Amino acid sequence: MHIYWRVQQDLETFGQELVLNHPNLARAFIKWVIKNRSGLAMSLDLYPIISSQLCYSKN
């Protein structure tokens, strides 16, 4: 799934988008993105935004 994500990022620079027509492939990609959301956020420099939205436990 990492390869599909990288292809999507490269296509985005050209103003294109990747369309996953097969339901199984689209479902697997969504599961992969959810599983790896923190790493993806860090790679896109979105980590400070996400870390500020985390719920911190009270001591």
Side-chain angles (χ1 to χ4, degrees):
M1 289 292 118
H2 182 262
I3 293 171
Y4 290 108
W5 179 77
R6 289 295 303 164
V7 168
Q8 172 61 31
Q9 295 304 307
D10 292 341
L11 286 174
E12 206 170 88
T13 60
F14 299 121
Q16 302 291 321
E17 63 182 45
L18 179 67
V19 178
L20 302 173
N21 289 328
H22 197 278
N24 292 341
L25 185 59
R27 186 174 26 256
F29 184 73
I30 290 170
K31 284 183 180 180
W32 180 84
V33 167
I34 291 170
K35 179 181 173 188
N36 296 296
R37 64 182 171 249
S38 61
L40 294 173
M42 287 191 310
S43 71
L44 296 172
D45 294 329
L46 298 175
Y47 193 74
I49 296 169
I50 291 176
S51 64
S52 67
Q53 295 174 352
L54 291 176
C55 181
Y56 296 102
S57 62
K58 296 179 182 178
N59 291 332

